[in-house]
Amino acid sequence: MSVRPRYVVAEAWSIAKSSPRQTLAAVTLIALALYVPGLLALLARNLGRLAVSDAGDPAAVVITLQPQADGRALAARLAQDARIRTVRIVGSEAALQRFRRAYPDLGAILAELKEAPFPPSLEVMLQPGAPPAAATEIAGTARLWPGVESVEAAEEFSRRFRDAVSLVRNAGLFLGGILTLAAILSVASAVRLALDLHRDEVGIMRLMGATEGAIRAPFWLYATAEGLLGGGIALGLLYATYRFATYWLARDPHPVLSVLWVGFLSVPASLLLPAAGAAAGLAGSLLSLGNRHTRRVTRIG
Amino acid sequence: MIQLYGVSKKYGPFRDALFDVSFRIQPGEFVFLTGPSGAGKSTLLRLLFLEEPPTTGQILVNGRNTGVLPLSQVPYLRRTMGVVFQDFKLIARKTVFENISFVQNVLGLPRAEQKRRAYHVLKRVGLHHQMNAYPDELSGGEQQRVAIARAIVNEPTVLLADEPTGNLDPVLSEEIMRLFVEINIRGTTVLVATHDLELIRRMGKRALMLERGRLHDPDRSRPESAPIVREAPFLPLT
């Protein structure tokens, strides 16, 4: 026979009410545990947009051309170098389109521009086995050519930037892992405490013929709901932080942050927070409702 | 029906709580289990309602061998038994009705049916006007009657009671015993553990005596000192 859902919900609510402090502590810890990695994920998402090239491979050398320069001729000249795999010609309009795709939130500002603000450029991608100094050497050579405005060996900056974003992302995962583990243990403690408070009742329920499912289901639901609530609060806090930062940057613009800080987490990533909270809660309850808390009848031979 | 064959229970290597206990209780029988404190009465009841396994031996309850019963089936066998304790074991945060209809609630029995059954059993124990009271609002005797109502609400075939009158005065004890007799008359097998020999004398029912974990069943070998008085006057029913 199955357990009645209404009974499970009522009992879970009763458990939550019987130990409000523990419930609050567990919910708070889960919220904090998910807020911190969520914040790092938000940072990584916004910074990451700079690190990821729209066209795929990152350019090792970016050559900015003068408006009247012959981009094709310069590209052909570069292509003769065996260390170079690809030379991409990026016109002013293409650069503007790329920027619009990367920062759709700035579309309104860009639309007001009468002419393309980005000069034409050449992006040089190296062969996979090219020596580390190749980008600098190519940049030094190209800098002397007519029609070249400026040259940047972007490989090193790009790599460092990607590494920084990756570091933020990994730190988020690492901290998130540790804090989630702490949250799971906190929920486990809360459930164990609730179980201790209800130990007599559990014993009576068992003697009255309640199945293990009927006894445990309210505790599972209680812990899962705790996690879900904690995750929801973390999401709310994260969105509040994002809105506050947006407001703050709008009032006092920053040359870099104002450009980068343009988007919140995607809907699936946002929903991941309450889902992770619920999973942590369920894991905590499973941890605390192990077999050692269940008096078993062993078989005799 | 309850049958025990050579049942022993050890706690640790040296303490025998029960030793080679064998007896049979027929369906519909009313039997007392008596003996001094520490004789093993409560241990025997715990084995019967599968709270603990015996160390050796076989136990049959309602035709099911508890030793080979799958764990998943234990709750279902327990539902065929009612249990009454000395300390009532009522859930303080639940009302009388909720305490009684707990299992039906878990199983999703319609609330109206739960109420009907609870009212019916509470009427049998004379507490149908206390459906919405909490255990703390009731006297000891009333709490024990609620516990009995809870034990019989599923219409069990076996009713086990562990010192059910231990916390009650003699007048209330007799009231409770009358209830057990009424339940027994309706066909339920009743096994009551008590150290109150006077009560057993007055009831005039079969008694199994435990002493230091060993059984003195007067039906098999009656010691001279055994407090079995079949000729005692039967308590009048009310």
Side-chain angles (χ1 to χ4, degrees), chain A residues 26-68:
Chain A
V27 169
T28 306
L29 198 64
I30 290 172
L32 285 176
L34 294 173
Y35 172 74
V36 174
L39 189 61
L40 292 172
L42 184 62
L43 282 170
R45 173 179 150 76
N46 282 289
L47 293 174
R49 295 200 295 184
L50 261 193
V52 179
S53 168
D54 183 52
D57 289 344
V61 181
V62 177
I63 302 169
T64 306
L65 304 177
Q66 293 166 354
Q68 73 282 6

Side-chain angles (χ1 to χ4, degrees), chain A residues 206-207 294-300, chain B residues 4 7-12 15-18 40-59 61 66-67 69 71 74 77-78 81 160 162:
Chain A
R206 201 166 272 139
L207 291 177
T294 309
R295 181 174 286 159
R296 295 281 188 179
V297 178
T298 54
R299 296 179 188 185
I300 54 174
Chain B
L4 275 76
V7 171
S8 297
K9 178 68 183 176
K10 280 190 174 196
Y11 293 106
R15 201 189 143 215
D16 284 328
L18 292 172
K41 302 187 294 294
S42 297
T43 301
L44 184 52
L45 288 187
R46 279 202 295 275
L47 300 188
L48 285 175
F49 54 72
L50 292 89
E51 199 180 354
E52 292 178 11
T55 308
T56 58
Q58 304 281 311
I59 298 174
V61 179
T66 62
L69 193 69
L71 290 176
V74 169
L77 181 61
R78 281 180 175 153
M81 295 188 270
L160 306 173
D162 189 6

